[in-house]
Amino acid sequence: FLHVQPLAPWGLALASHRQAWDNQVCVVRCPGGEASEEDDSRKSCILQIEDDRCVASVPMAGEDDDSNYVVGMSLDLTGCGGPMMHPADRSRPRLPQGPLVLVATADAKLAVMRLGNLDEAAAEAFAATCIAPATADVPAAAAALAVAVA
């Protein structure tokens, strides 16, 4: 039960496996071009994120964490989240618009996270070419239902 959401413009993919017990959502660098022995920057690998503020964390609530796992994952490219604060330093300018990550778990919960790129050039190029604004407003009935549920 592997879930993968590619993010080709950044050369990354988000991945989650049913048996993951830690880091339920991983960032995987996808291979780009020919990798060589001297330059491993193009080889695919799971990226290690050392700053806990930048790790995608999915709450796995419940008495038995083994019975809770990621059942689905998607990316929202409508830009509805707006620019995100810099996760490591909130005094820095906001990051260019990135996608929203939606992660569904077996306990019927939906986690929504922002995904940002600290490489400003790549982030700006993505925001300019990949973020597509919503084509229509949310119908009033659906908006009322969303407010009632919240």
Side-chain angles (χ1 to χ4, degrees), residues 136-150:
D137 290 332
V138 176
L145 179 61
V147 171
V149 172

Side-chain angles (χ1 to χ4, degrees), residues 70-115:
V70 173
V71 296
M73 188 168 35
S74 183
L75 295 176
D76 175 6
L77 301 177
T78 62
C80 65
M84 120 183 206
M85 293 181 101
H86 193 290
D89 184 357
R90 295 183 185 269
S91 67
R92 294 182 66 185
R94 291 180 176 261
L95 299 176
Q97 178 68 50
L100 288 180
V101 181
L102 302 132
V103 179
T105 54
D107 63 351
K109 299 210 184 235
L110 181 65
V112 180
M113 298 169 269
R114 293 180 185 202
L115 187 61

